[in-house]
């Protein structure tokens, strides 16, 4: 199951609600994934981690924007079966196979999502509360050394181009498949307002 937390207005407690529910679910021994998809104002890790060193680990970990960049770089080198040529051989008449076939190809080509999910255990839990880690997909590498590059990558990312030029439908179908196959529940923290990002991560 995948649930997106969205609010039109910021500052209404959306991220805090997500963090509390994620923690409650992990205490029920569910395998919980959390995605910080509020790329322009990230910081979901602050609800789980108070230690500056632990937060620094999150900031240094690759995440969603890095995964999208990697996908775009690999797109031109995808195996031929990702596309089906028409009999004429005309490139303009190329047609895509069923979505399930394209997702299967991406499952072989892209790195397993597990390699990007950072296990974090919320700090200052009650003694004996138990529970497993929360698997966190960061927005991207944004530590001190990379913070300007992260801001540039987020601001320049073209979501429309991802769909029209890089088959964004197949990418997100692959992402959904990875999340549903690897976790009991995934909680997504969305961007506020009327934005392309909010629409993409809600759909």
């Amino acid at each position: 199951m995948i649930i997106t937390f969205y609010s039109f207005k910021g500052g209404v407690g959306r991220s805090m609600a997500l963090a509390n529910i994620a923690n409650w679910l992990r205490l029920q021994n569910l395998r919980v994934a959390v995605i910080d998809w509020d790329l322009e104002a990230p910081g979901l890790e602050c609800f789980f981690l108070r230690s500056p060193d632990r937060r620094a680990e999150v900031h240094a970990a690759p995440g969603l924007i890095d995964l999208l960049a990697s996908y775009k770089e690999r797109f031109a080198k995808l195996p031929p079966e990702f596309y089906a040529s028409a009999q004429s051989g005309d490139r303009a008449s190329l047609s895509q196979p069923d979505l399930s076939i394209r997702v299967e190809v991406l499952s072989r080509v892209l790195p397993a999502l597990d390699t990007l999910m950072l296990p974090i255990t919320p700090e200052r839990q009650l003694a004996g509360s138990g529970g497993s880690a929360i698997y966190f997909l960061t927005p991207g590498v944004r530590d001190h050394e990379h913070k300007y590059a992260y801001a540039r990558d987020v601001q320049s990312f073209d979501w429309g181009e991802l769909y029209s030029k890089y088959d964004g439908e197949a990418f997100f179908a692959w992402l959904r498949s990875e999340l549903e196959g690897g976790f009991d529940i995934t909680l997504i923290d969305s961007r506020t307002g009327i934005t392309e990002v909010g629409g993409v991560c809600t759909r």
Side-chain angles (χ1 to χ4, degrees):
M1 180 182 296
I2 301 175
I3 299 174
T4 295
F5 285 65
Y6 168 82
S7 62
F8 176 74
K9 187 179 185 307
V12 297
R14 180 196 71 254
S15 299
M16 181 178 287
L18 184 154
N20 281 319
I21 291 172
N23 194 40
W24 184 85
L25 290 169
R26 83 170 185 92
L27 292 174
Q28 312 313 305
N29 293 314
L30 294 175
R31 188 171 167 84
V32 181
V34 167
I35 301 177
D36 190 348
W37 210 313
D38 190 355
L39 301 177
E40 294 180 355
L44 189 57
E45 69 281 351
C46 296
F47 291 96
F48 302 109
L49 306 174
R50 298 191 180 189
S51 163
D53 290 340
R54 296 286 306 282
R55 292 183 185 181
E57 291 177 14
V58 174
H59 295 168
L64 181 62
I65 200 71
D66 308 298
L67 179 61
L68 287 163
S70 176
Y71 169 70
K72 289 173 66 176
E73 290 175 2
R74 295 168 185 250
F75 187 79
K77 300 177 183 178
L78 289 175
E81 60 264 35
F82 192 79
Y83 297 98
S85 300
Q87 290 185 352
S88 66
D90 182 3
R91 185 171 181 80
S93 63
L94 289 175
S95 61
Q96 291 177 320
D98 290 341
L99 184 59
S100 60
I101 296 175
R102 284 141 56 202
V103 169
E104 192 278 326
V105 172
L106 293 182
S107 296
R108 290 190 279 113
V109 173
L110 296 179
L113 190 61
D114 277 351
T115 62
L116 287 177
M117 303 302 283
L118 187 66
I120 60 173
T121 302
E123 295 177 324
R124 300 192 182 182
Q125 295 293 290
L126 292 174
S129 59
S132 59
I134 290 172
Y135 294 88
F136 193 80
L137 181 61
T138 77
V141 178
R142 62 189 200 285
D143 56 10
H144 181 74
E145 183 180 350
H146 299 93
K147 62 181 179 180
Y148 295 114
Y150 172 81
R152 178 200 63 216
D153 292 345
V154 169
Q155 291 296 321
S156 64
F157 195 85
D158 189 330
W159 295 93
E161 181 188 61
L162 177 69
Y163 276 89
S164 63
K165 188 175 178 181
Y166 296 97
D167 196 357
E169 179 188 24
F171 172 82
F172 287 118
W174 166 81
L175 181 61
R176 183 183 300 113
S177 175
E178 289 282 303
L179 291 169
E180 291 179 339
F183 303 95
D184 295 312
I185 189 163
T186 298
L187 307 180
I188 299 174
D189 196 24
S190 170
R191 187 76 177 118
T192 59
I194 300 176
T195 62
E196 287 180 308
V197 176
V200 168
C201 65
T202 300
R203 289 181 61 83

